[in-house]
Amino acid sequence: MKDPACMSFKEIKKLLKTKKLGYREIWESVKRKIEENEEYINGYITLFTEEVEEDVKKLDEKGETPSEKKPLLGLFLAVKDNIAVKGKPLTCASKILSKYVSPYDATAVKRLKNKGALIVGKTNMDEFAMGSSTEYSAFGITRNPFDKERVPGGSSGGSAAVVAYGGAIASLGSDTGGSVRQPAAFCNLYGFKPTYGRVSRYGLVAFASSLDVIGPIARSAEDIMEIYKVIAGWDENDSTSLAYPLREPRDLKFKGLKIGIIKETMEENHPKVTRVIEETLKNIEKMGAYIKDYSLPLIKKSVAAYQLIAMAEASSNLARYDGVRYGLRVKKESIEEMYKETRGEGFGEEVKRRVMLGTFVLSSGYYDRYYAVAVSYRNRLKAIFEDIFKEVDFIITPTSPTPPFKIGEKKDPISMYLSDVYTAPFSLIGYPSITVPSSQIAENGFKVGIQITGGWLSDEDVIKLGGLIGESCC
Amino acid sequence: MEKTKYLSLLAKIKLKKEETSKLEEEIEKIIEYFNTLREKYEYREKEEMVCREREDIPEKSDIELKDLTSHFENGFFIVPPMVK
């Protein structure tokens, strides 16, 4: 039998139901993986080993198996450290929140716990989710389990790395401009960004509120669907949460399916990324799908628009970390000095850069030149994609233009921002996207992430197609 | 409409000397990159601007990019009126 820590939740559930596997065996296997890998990978900031031990003991004593009421029993889950878990540290990988403990559960966490999931720990990330490599963490960098000289992606790099090495069966991340999809792709996993508003943001520390979404990372599309169905749905604590009921996915088949391709997303990639995507498309076409090409030069500017909006919102959201209400306080004579010193001491390099730029683009004389232009771009992009989705069912692009890059390779902030070039457009428009690992190895053990995006609120269909493509043609 | 001036708390960050020069250099490059958003592009055989040029965009600002880090030291920013 395969090591339980490396199984998908679907496989685990089947074995638990038939009593061929117990909770203790899964936990021992997960724990062993953590012991073997964590010192070097550094995927977790906090581990809840003692609580999990207790929970596993109780589950084994009860002999309860996954049921309709508790479908997630046996799901050992990791949670990104910007999502609140009651009574546990919530650091956002920042010095400014290093001693902060959350007094409540995020809605997504509460729903998962209620359905039987066990939280193994909180994962490392780029500070306040600002980054694409998990190099900007006050708790040290996270390494990619497939090649320890390379990054796991970011900002949910810890959430992807721990699932990749077997330190959790699945995880929760947050995606503002690609922070679930890009690390999932860099660690050969599935990662899903739901439609904006589909999953409650209550308990997710705000970075860019009009873009932030909580999403799962897992080893199969079925696992993504199982988690998504629990965390999605209206929540009275989030005024942006959508009140539409969940639905079953369409009966999707490749025959007759209309897939859109954007020419500009196939041009400036690592050659192996483009090759794998082209082969996937050929296979899909052979199975009866219809491929339609689009030219959309505007898409190349999406990172600039995304960063402008995200920085502007971040500068406002992070104003609350002033040493008065949360976390770190550097003691000074005057309150103004205390504010300045606390923020100077508590924030890392990338956070300072973004807060400064965000304030700058919102200031008088620059607001219209930068922020208003980015908002206008966002509206234009949304209108264009609304038109495109009248003609096709889904859009396929690479998730990232390159395979995982080396630690320390991207010194220039703009080159780091450009890692999000294919994920940011779909964050700006708020549509659901999944990344699916190709079956072919592109380079050094790394697969290529295939990004599938559907129309607004087509989340279930996007996950379903992700499963079909992952199983059959990439 | 008259502009509202106030001391913006969200802008307050104490910067170390070594951070200042690095941040100034990087921020200048990033702003240059943001300027690309104002270029025209082609979509479906039509040349378009992302944002229509408006005549009421202020020509000048009280903050020069080169002075940005010192503004953060002082926490002083002029915030545009909320409703235009």
Side-chain angles (χ1 to χ4, degrees):
Chain A
M1 190 167 67
K2 196 159 80 177
D3 196 336
C6 301
M7 290 178 185
S8 70
F9 182 58
K10 192 187 169 191
E11 292 172 286
I12 285 178
K13 210 169 160 175
K14 200 174 160 189
L15 293 169
L16 280 170
K17 278 183 171 176
T18 52
K19 307 240 174 198
K20 286 179 182 156
L21 188 67
Y23 299 103
R24 170 66 47 195
E25 283 170 270
I26 310 166
W27 172 232
E28 290 300 330
S29 169
V30 168
K31 209 166 59 174
R32 197 167 51 248
K33 291 283 181 191
I34 293 171
E35 284 160 7
E36 285 167 7
N37 292 281
E38 198 46 33
E39 194 182 346
Y40 204 67
I41 300 294
N42 192 33
Y44 281 107
I45 290 177
T46 319
L47 277 160
F48 311 148
T49 316
E50 282 176 26
E51 289 93 326
V52 181
E53 283 284 350
E54 282 296 308
D55 290 338
V56 166
K57 202 175 154 193
K58 282 178 200 160
L59 279 170
D60 275 336
E61 278 167 8
K62 277 188 194 169
E64 203 179 350
T65 56
S67 59
E68 209 170 302
K69 201 179 163 199
K70 296 233 169 191
L72 301 184
L73 283 176
L75 178 64
F76 290 84
L77 188 84
V79 176
K80 187 176 179 178
D81 208 12
N82 60 348
I83 303 171
V85 177
K86 192 178 176 178
K88 301 292 176 195
L90 175 64
T91 70
C92 293
S94 179
K95 196 175 166 189
I96 212 159
L97 284 178
S98 59
K99 290 184 180 139
Y100 179 72
V101 173
S102 172
Y104 67 97
D105 273 330
T107 298
V109 169
K110 196 175 182 179
R111 289 180 180 177
L112 288 163
K113 279 182 176 176
N114 287 343
K115 295 291 177 184
L118 293 174
I119 315 290
V120 177
K122 304 292 293 291
T123 56
N124 202 6
M125 54 186 277
D126 287 297
E127 186 180 1
F128 283 104
M130 296 179 192
S132 306
S133 63
T134 318
E135 290 171 290
Y136 299 128
S137 164
F139 294 85
I141 57 170
T142 295
R143 294 172 183 273
N144 193 310
F146 293 96
D147 179 347
K148 294 180 181 67
E149 298 307 313
R150 290 178 191 267
V151 302
S155 64
S156 312
S159 289
V162 300
V163 177
Y165 77 66
I169 306 302
S171 64
L172 282 189
S174 68
D175 193 313
T176 305
S179 287
V180 160
R181 291 161 285 165
Q182 187 252 29
F186 276 13
C187 292
N188 297 351
L189 296 164
Y190 290 76
F192 179 58
K193 179 196 85 70
T195 297
Y196 177 79
R198 201 51 160 143
V199 175
S200 170
R201 288 183 295 116
Y202 182 69
L204 168 67
V205 176
F207 157 23
S209 310
S210 76
L211 296 152
D212 295 338
V213 187
I214 292 177
I217 295 174
R219 299 189 187 118
S220 75
E222 286 99 333
D223 290 3
I224 295 276
M225 185 75 92
E226 183 114 32
I227 296 169
Y228 166 76
K229 280 185 171 174
V230 172
I231 62 175
W234 183 75
D235 175 23
E236 62 177 356
N237 292 319
D238 175 4
S239 60
T240 60
S241 101
L242 298 168
Y244 299 90
L246 297 186
R247 58 176 182 80
E248 286 303 310
R250 278 164 52 196
D251 182 22
L252 289 172
K253 290 183 184 92
F254 285 113
K255 196 169 169 57
L257 205 63
K258 286 175 271 179
I259 306 279
I261 305 300
I262 297 160
K263 192 184 81 179
E264 287 76 11
T265 66
M266 302 292 277
E267 285 172 349
E268 289 165 21
N269 306 324
H270 186 287
K272 285 178 183 167
V273 170
T274 303
R275 200 200 65 212
V276 169
I277 300 288
E278 280 173 350
E279 282 175 16
T280 304
L281 291 169
K282 269 185 205 161
N283 290 338
I284 292 173
E285 208 169 9
K286 267 186 213 162
M287 286 186 275
Y290 168 71
I291 310 283
K292 188 170 167 56
D293 292 308
Y294 290 92
S295 173
L296 188 55
L298 184 75
I299 207 162
K300 289 185 175 171
K301 299 178 183 182
S302 63
V303 170
Y306 159 73
Q307 285 294 350
L308 265 160
I309 292 169
M311 286 175 186
E313 292 186 22
S315 72
S316 172
N317 274 326
L318 270 62
R320 73 191 72 175
Y321 305 107
D322 51 12
V324 178
R325 287 160 288 188
Y326 302 98
L328 180 77
R329 177 185 296 174
V330 177
K331 286 184 183 163
K332 285 281 155 188
E333 289 296 309
S334 76
I335 195 159
E336 273 198 44
E337 278 302 303
M338 188 273 283
Y339 285 157
K340 276 202 286 191
E341 291 279 348
T342 299
R343 290 162 66 79
E345 189 71 27
F347 289 148
E349 178 192 334
E350 181 63 19
V351 174
K352 284 179 188 167
R353 194 156 44 223
R354 293 198 195 199
V355 168
M356 289 174 75
L357 276 158
T359 313
F360 176 73
V361 300
L362 286 177
S363 67
S364 182
Y366 296 108
Y367 178 92
D368 300 271
R369 263 183 261 175
Y370 295 107
Y371 183 72
V373 173
V375 171
S376 175
Y377 171 95
R378 187 181 193 175
N379 293 335
R380 185 78 186 94
L381 194 71
K382 202 166 184 176
I384 289 171
F385 275 110
E386 272 171 14
D387 284 348
I388 291 176
F389 278 109
K390 284 176 191 159
E391 298 173 345
V392 298
D393 302 305
F394 300 97
I395 289 171
I396 291 184
T397 67
T399 306
S400 168
T402 63
F405 44 89
K406 288 199 168 164
I407 291 166
E409 187 183 319
K410 293 202 189 278
K411 291 186 174 65
D412 163 33
I414 298 169
S415 71
M416 184 72 88
Y417 299 163
L418 287 169
S419 302
D420 297 334
V421 64
Y422 303 141
T423 48
F426 303 111
S427 293
L428 283 169
I429 65 170
Y431 287 11
S433 283
I434 193 168
T435 181
V436 174
S438 64
S439 57
Q440 301 164 45
I441 300 292
E443 196 179 54
N444 305 325
F446 290 109
K447 298 177 176 183
V448 170
I450 301 158
Q451 181 177 238
I452 304 155
T453 303
W456 188 69
L457 270 184
S458 66
D459 300 62
E460 295 84 354
D461 299 336
V462 168
I463 301 170
K464 176 94 182 272
L465 184 65
L468 288 178
I469 289 182
E471 280 165 17
S472 51
C473 52
C474 53
Chain B
M1 196 182 287
E2 202 173 309
K3 288 184 174 139
T4 318
K5 290 188 182 193
Y6 71 89
L7 211 58
S8 175
L9 288 178
L10 58 90
K12 281 186 179 296
I13 297 176
K14 178 87 178 171
L15 299 169
K16 293 183 194 105
K17 271 189 185 165
E18 59 271 26
E19 280 179 322
T20 308
S21 57
K22 191 174 177 249
L23 279 166
E24 277 173 358
E25 197 184 311
E26 284 167 350
I27 284 174
E28 209 175 313
K29 280 188 199 161
I30 295 167
I31 290 292
E32 208 173 292
Y33 170 62
F34 285 167
N35 281 326
T36 61
L37 202 57
R38 302 180 59 78
E39 291 164 5
K40 288 185 177 177
Y41 68 95
E42 299 274 339
Y43 179 63
R44 295 201 170 174
E45 297 157 6
K46 196 173 142 200
E47 198 175 65
E48 295 187 45
M49 275 293 291
V50 172
C51 183
R52 191 170 57 83
E53 289 286 6
R54 284 168 34 179
E55 284 170 9
D56 60 344
I57 293 181
E59 289 280 313
K60 283 183 180 175
S61 168
D62 297 295
I63 300 165
E64 292 298 322
L65 188 56
K66 62 180 172 52
D67 301 324
L68 190 60
T69 48
S70 65
H71 282 287
F72 270 87
E73 285 286 343
N74 303 323
F76 186 72
F77 274 85
I78 295 172
V79 178
M82 294 303 287
V83 184
K84 284 205 156 188

